[in-house]
Amino acid sequence: LRGNGQEINIKPSYQFSSSMKSQFKFYDLKKNKEVGNIYYEYFFSQNDYIGMKFMDEEGNLGKAFNLMIIDGDNSIDFMENEGSKMATSFNMNTAINLDEVAEEDWMSSAQLKQTGKTKQIAGYECNEYVMEDETANRKMTFWVAPALSNLANQMGNMYKGMQGKGASMGSNPFARAIGGMVLEMHMIDKEENMAMTMNTQEVNPSLTYTFNTEGYQVFNMSQYTPNRN
């Protein structure tokens, strides 16, 4: 499969060996209300790619199919609805101009501390970590499962494209929580008046899932990004 513009290497199929279902909620602190709710099913592979399937509010897949695959520095979004198959792809190095970032992410310099607290999440023992800025206006809490460190390593593959451009891994909480996989996360930002939570509902450490890309019409969006020469 091939799109237009800069070539994106799309494999005939992608094989996954484990998965994790998570729910993200977003809050407006000023209005004191929930403003967003997203469900993902992550698919992990021993290869250098990861999949993210978008689900409906009940945590089901719904009628429409949507699977995003991050493969190295390429992002491919596969969509199928009522028999129509299409995919959009772009190169993250081309689409994201990290050299123009004016302000360093606060997480890059914040210190990650283990609190000593533990609890069970989705059947896994988790350790609590906390990270906050000097003013205490921004704070993140992680619950990390050491037994799933292999999934954390695979999750880091999502950021390979950005790392290639010199991006700080401070903005990647899965990389900052050294020693395991993040199964629960709470973030509060009083300066931006927003908060976010992530809760893992299910972990499947062993599955066999192959996604075939045959029949998808591919559109390469790299040619439309502002950083393309």
Side-chain angles (χ1 to χ4, degrees), residues 8-10 14 67-71 74-78 87-90 218:
I8 301 291
N9 182 25
I10 298 178
Y14 294 86
L67 176 68
M68 178 184 291
I69 293 178
I70 306 296
D71 186 359
N74 296 323
S75 174
I76 313 109
D77 194 7
F78 295 91
T88 57
S89 62
F90 67 90
V218 182

Side-chain angles (χ1 to χ4, degrees), residues 131-223:
M131 180 169 60
E132 61 184 347
D133 66 5
E134 295 179 353
T135 64
N137 285 328
R138 292 165 168 158
K139 180 178 180 180
M140 297 191 76
T141 302
F142 308 94
W143 289 93
V144 181
L148 297 174
S149 58
N150 60 320
L151 298 190
N153 294 334
Q154 293 170 37
M155 180 70 79
N157 290 334
M158 290 177 60
Y159 294 82
K160 279 191 174 182
M162 296 181 186
Q163 281 182 278
K165 290 278 288 183
S168 168
M169 291 301 287
S171 59
N172 176 8
F174 296 97
R176 291 301 305 274
I178 297 171
M181 184 66 185
V182 177
L183 296 188
E184 184 174 312
M185 178 167 52
H186 303 269
M187 185 273 288
I188 184 167
D189 189 333
K190 295 180 181 178
E191 292 190 9
E192 300 293 334
N193 290 310
M194 58 90 68
M196 182 271 289
T197 65
M198 183 274 278
N199 293 283
T200 298
Q201 301 170 330
E202 179 184 323
V203 177
N204 188 340
S206 179
L207 62 76
T208 301
Y209 172 46
T210 298
F211 174 71
N212 294 307
T213 60
E214 182 181 0
Y216 281 87
Q217 183 179 8
V218 182
F219 299 91
N220 190 334
M221 307 304 291
S222 296
Q223 61 182 320

Side-chain angles (χ1 to χ4, degrees), residues 14-56:
Y14 294 86
Q15 291 79 38
F16 301 99
S17 56
S18 54
S19 67
M20 181 178 84
K21 291 182 180 180
S22 301
Q23 179 185 23
F24 290 78
K25 290 186 177 182
F26 304 89
Y27 301 88
D28 185 323
L29 298 180
K30 199 170 184 179
K31 297 179 180 179
N32 193 28
K33 62 180 292 187
E34 180 182 323
V35 294
N37 192 355
I38 303 174
Y39 291 84
Y40 291 108
E41 183 170 10
Y42 294 95
F43 293 94
F44 302 97
S45 173
Q46 298 298 323
N47 303 303
D48 286 343
Y49 53 76
I50 186 173
M52 291 186 292
K53 186 178 291 184
F54 303 90
M55 299 183 289
D56 61 25

